[in-house]
Amino acid sequence: MSHRSAGAGPSTVSRGLRPSPDRLSLRSTSPRRGEKAAFGFLVLAAAVSVLTTVGIVVSLALPAVQFFREVNVLDFLTGTSWTPRFTEKSYGVLPLITGTLWTTGIALAVCVPLGLGAAIYLSEYASTGVRKTLKPILELLAGVPSVVYGLFAVTFVGPVVLKEWFGIQVQTFSVLAAGLVLGVMIIPTVASLAEDAMSAVPRSLREASYGLGANRMRTVLRVVFPAAVSGIAASLVLALSRAVGETMIVAMAAGSQAKMVSDPLEGGQTMTGFIASAALGDSVQGSLQYNTLFAVGITLFVLTLVINLISIRLVNRFREIY
Amino acid sequence: MDTGRIQASESPRAVLGCTDVSVYYGDFRAVNEVTMDIGVHEVTALIGPSGCGKSTVLRSLNRMNDLIPGSRVTGTVAYHGQDIYGKDVDPIEVRRRIGMVFQKPNPFPKSIYDNVAYGPKVTGMKVSSMDDVVEESLRGAALWDEVKDKLKQSAYGLSGGQQQRLCIARTIAVKPEVILMDEPCSALDPIATARIEDLMMELKKDYTIVIVTHNMQQAARVADRTAFFTAEAAEGHGDRTGHLVEFDLTTKIFSNPSDNRTEDYISGRFG
Ligand SMILES: Nc1ncnc2c1ncn2[C@@H]1O[C@H](COP(=O)(O)OP(=O)(O)OP(=O)(O)O)[C@@H](O)[C@H]1O
Ligand SMILES: [Mg+2]
């Protein structure tokens, strides 16, 4: 080593007073290979996720473009009859969209109040012990496969809960049963994410509110909620995306009849339901039947994107940064 | 150990009277049998080494400790003779009358105006004009002139000292009788500190103030009475339990304390 600090003798002293040039050098002494490798990995990870998204869009877009060469976009978006597999073919996507809107709307009506209620209870009212038990259970529930929920909707919620218990005359397949179970499935996601957001609000803000004589509900609604709004909104956006994109439950419980849904007691088909039932591997690549799947897929994609963008706008307007 | 009532030279007319107040966090007794009176329109300072339980005592005066799971208070804290830990007492009502200003300024992430208006709104105070309440409170906290043109801006744009005065304004907006302050100047520079001290002298005409401070000069400057706490290992186990050593007129505490430990602490020999 060229400079040893603890060495004895006059040479060390003189070096200490007038350092040799290499001692003044600010160049890095270690190559830091690990750091470079880690950096490379992180860039790669980011790139993979971006590229995947681009790949999805492209692979959706190409067949969809072919589809729209044969079918007029306006007819597609405004048509009220969806019969791509019949001899009398018609490509109006509105029936699928109404199906999706109904199941999503019903699901949100279930999961938003119940999910947020559970989150408020867990973060503001439950004792530490209760919270420590309930939160993991909730997260476990979020992991139940949706096919199980689908079965639950068809065999239990429709015929037993709705028909027998509440006397609601639903058909065997109904958007109501599908939407309700879809909502139940999403509750844990909303509750868990919203609870995280609310627990992250500094304790000092709650103390300030209580110190002014506010009660718990006012503190939750006027301080904790606004401060946690971006996290809560993120949970709702995720809930919405999951409801729009969920396939198994709606395919099993809502039926496969594509028609304009006006009565939730009847069945209907959603966009995801159509794709799942039609993508059976029997469509020839490049055929209109094949391209139809992608046209519906990209419609779903754009719809989700638009919903997310609107939500982000809304959140930015209302959030309070702490 | 002296657990009897420690009498100040001239007993003040008490707004708050603590009798044998002990505070526990779970099984740990943080403070043991504090007995003292808080005099009306006076500034009472709580001093003592870190961990002796000043904040704990202060927070027991408006039931802020209720918010800490596992904490427990024994003894009585009487507000005009009424035990605030009594059965049919609503802690919300207690905190409306006995407000609190915290060590770190903690304005809400709202506008300056909304910060001040928050208390009157959530407590359902009947006010003829919220604008007047906001102005009056901000004037009371000596902040009005600095913020009157930006009431709608976020409170987070203010300096630390301004934020702390905003927190004081927010507290006085609900017109409490007592204001508890836990090291309100510890995050502030000397100029901002001086402003808050001036403010306290002003506020004590209308309010009763209890302040925790680590700053001896501050206690000497602003407090009418000073309580000195310390923490000593309790018999049997190693946990340090805080207790009140001496409570008297500030002039007496700083010039001629009757307990050696007080004298040692004030002259900087321990703590
Ligand atoms: N939330 C809590 N849970 C458990 N123990 C606590 C809690 N808050 C305080 N304590 C304990 O109670 C004792 C007194 O704490 P307290 O904060 O009242 O001291 P303090 O005199 O205000 O100290 P400082 O001057 O550092 O602020 C300490 O031993 C502390 O560890
Ligand atoms: Mg403290």
Side-chain angles (χ1 to χ4, degrees):
Chain A
M1 223 169 266
S2 59
H3 46 267
R4 198 182 287 160
S5 53
S11 67
T12 315
V13 174
S14 69
R15 234 188 242 153
L17 290 173
R18 188 195 281 260
S20 60
D22 74 305
R23 200 167 176 174
L24 274 176
S25 164
L26 292 176
R27 263 178 292 161
S28 166
T29 50
S30 65
R32 297 202 203 138
R33 278 194 206 91
E35 199 176 317
K36 285 202 180 107
F39 175 72
F41 172 74
L42 297 177
V43 170
L44 192 73
V48 164
S49 58
V50 172
L51 288 179
T52 318
T53 314
V54 172
I56 291 175
V57 173
V58 170
S59 67
L60 273 179
L62 292 182
V65 166
Q66 293 218 326
F67 173 84
F68 289 119
R69 286 221 184 96
E70 292 180 56
V71 178
N72 185 306
V73 180
L74 224 67
D75 290 346
F76 176 75
L77 289 177
T78 57
T80 57
S81 165
W82 181 257
T83 54
R85 309 206 114 203
F86 296 178
T87 27
E88 187 84 0
K89 291 191 187 343
S90 170
Y91 295 93
V93 80
L94 279 183
L96 300 185
I97 290 184
T98 54
T100 294
L101 288 183
W102 270 103
T103 51
T104 303
I106 295 170
L108 290 183
V110 172
C111 76
V112 172
L114 292 181
L116 293 186
I120 292 176
Y121 169 73
L122 281 178
S123 105
E124 308 298 315
Y125 288 86
S127 67
T128 324
V130 171
R131 176 165 50 238
K132 284 214 176 108
T133 333
L134 279 185
K135 192 91 194 287
I137 294 179
L138 210 62
E139 272 154 12
L140 210 66
L141 269 179
V144 174
S146 59
V147 68
V148 175
Y149 283 101
L151 209 57
F152 176 63
V154 180
T155 61
F156 187 66
V157 175
V160 181
V161 177
L162 290 178
K163 254 192 179 153
E164 277 179 33
W165 297 359
F166 289 95
I168 301 172
Q169 291 311 313
V170 287
Q171 296 178 355
T172 316
F173 297 110
S174 70
V175 293
L176 180 61
L180 288 177
V181 173
L182 187 55
V184 169
M185 184 188 80
I186 304 171
I187 291 173
T189 309
V190 174
S192 182
L193 284 177
E195 200 269 337
D196 287 343
M198 289 168 67
S199 299
V201 172
R203 185 195 170 79
S204 62
L205 290 184
R206 290 189 181 81
E207 290 196 331
S209 175
Y210 289 125
L212 290 167
N215 63 23
R216 220 184 268 234
M217 207 61 216
R218 294 238 163 76
T219 303
V220 171
L221 293 181
R222 287 171 178 261
V223 175
V224 180
F225 229 82
V229 82
S230 35
I232 290 172
S235 79
L236 297 185
V237 169
L238 186 64
L240 190 62
S241 304
R242 283 197 67 183
V244 171
E246 168 53 34
T247 308
M248 236 23 238
I249 295 178
V250 289
M252 290 169 81
S256 53
Q257 222 186 335
K259 59 175 186 210
M260 296 296 286
V261 182
S262 54
D263 180 357
L265 303 185
E266 294 175 3
Q269 191 169 42
T270 65
M271 291 187 271
T272 53
F274 167 75
I275 295 176
S277 68
L280 299 172
D282 62 342
S283 345
V284 183
Q285 191 168 355
S287 68
L288 183 59
Q289 194 187 358
Y290 175 88
N291 291 340
T292 309
L293 293 172
F294 292 86
V296 176
I298 207 153
T299 311
L300 191 60
F301 184 83
V302 169
L303 193 73
T304 317
L305 202 70
V306 168
I307 291 172
N308 282 359
L309 288 179
I310 293 175
S311 323
I312 292 169
R313 274 276 169 87
L314 282 178
V315 170
N316 283 340
R317 178 166 323 159
F318 289 115
R319 80 160 148 199
E320 295 182 342
I321 299 164
Y322 54 81
Chain B
M1 208 171 291
D2 184 6
T3 53
R5 183 165 285 251
I6 299 176
Q7 286 291 346
S9 306
E10 316 144 28
S11 265
R13 191 158 73 77
V15 183
L16 284 168
C18 305
T19 312
D20 296 334
V21 172
S22 301
V23 187
Y24 299 79
Y25 293 111
D27 293 332
F28 168 55
R29 183 164 61 191
V31 183
N32 189 31
E33 297 185 341
V34 170
T35 298
M36 61 187 289
D37 286 342
I38 308 294
V40 69
H41 294 314
E42 285 191 348
V43 177
T44 304
L46 312 182
I47 62 170
S50 194
C52 67
K54 305 175 295 295
S55 299
T56 300
V57 168
L58 192 75
R59 293 167 61 93
S60 73
L61 298 181
N62 74 341
R63 295 193 58 169
M64 216 59 183
N65 278 335
D66 291 16
L67 304 175
I68 298 171
S71 75
R72 197 157 50 83
V73 176
T74 62
T76 56
V77 178
Y79 170 75
H80 294 292
Q82 206 189 148
D83 185 7
I84 65 169
Y85 287 92
K87 255 207 186 75
D88 47 358
V89 168
D90 182 358
I92 309 276
E93 289 301 317
V94 173
R95 295 189 203 116
R96 273 193 56 187
R97 290 172 177 76
I98 307 170
M100 190 146 198
V101 175
F102 299 83
Q103 177 168 357
K104 216 173 125 241
N106 56 352
F108 298 120
K110 300 177 188 293
S111 71
I112 294 168
Y113 184 99
D114 288 342
N115 261 276
V116 181
Y118 180 86
K121 264 188 207 150
V122 298
T123 53
M125 264 170 73
K126 285 187 186 61
V127 295
S128 46
S129 155
M130 190 58 85
D131 290 358
D132 291 348
V133 172
V134 169
E135 176 171 349
E136 197 184 307
S137 307
L138 286 168
R139 282 191 193 282
L143 188 59
W144 174 252
D145 291 331
E146 288 156 69
V147 302
K148 63 170 183 265
D149 299 322
K150 47 179 181 181
L151 292 176
K152 293 289 169 208
Q153 288 175 25
S154 167
Y156 282 33
L158 298 175
S159 73
Q162 289 174 323
Q163 287 187 8
Q164 194 62 300
R165 274 178 286 148
L166 177 63
C167 291
I168 294 173
R170 181 175 71 179
T171 302
I172 60 186
V174 294
K175 306 207 178 337
E177 187 174 352
V178 184
I179 303 177
L180 309 175
M181 300 185 175
D182 194 350
E183 300 185 47
C185 303
S186 67
L188 306 183
D189 68 29
I191 295 169
T193 299
R195 299 204 60 157
I196 304 252
E197 286 180 11
D198 291 345
L199 182 57
M200 275 189 261
M201 303 312 285
E202 201 53 41
L203 288 174
K204 77 175 205 181
K205 291 174 194 153
D206 298 313
Y207 304 91
T208 299
I209 297 175
V210 186
I211 175 177
V212 170
T213 179
H214 274 287
N215 180 334
M216 292 305 119
Q217 289 82 28
Q218 182 168 62
R221 279 192 299 263
V222 302
D224 298 289
R225 283 164 213 279
T226 298
F228 172 65
F229 291 79
T230 191
E232 278 152 20
E235 53 310 327
H237 51 89
D239 285 339
R240 281 152 45 89
T241 294
H243 63 96
L244 177 59
V245 174
E246 189 171 353
F247 177 44
D248 214 323
L249 288 172
T250 301
T251 45
K252 172 102 182 350
I253 291 275
F254 280 88
S255 61
N256 183 23
S258 32
D259 196 295
N260 287 338
R261 290 168 295 181
T262 315
E263 182 157 14
D264 286 350
Y265 182 74
I266 284 164
S267 54
R269 256 170 279 166
F270 90 84

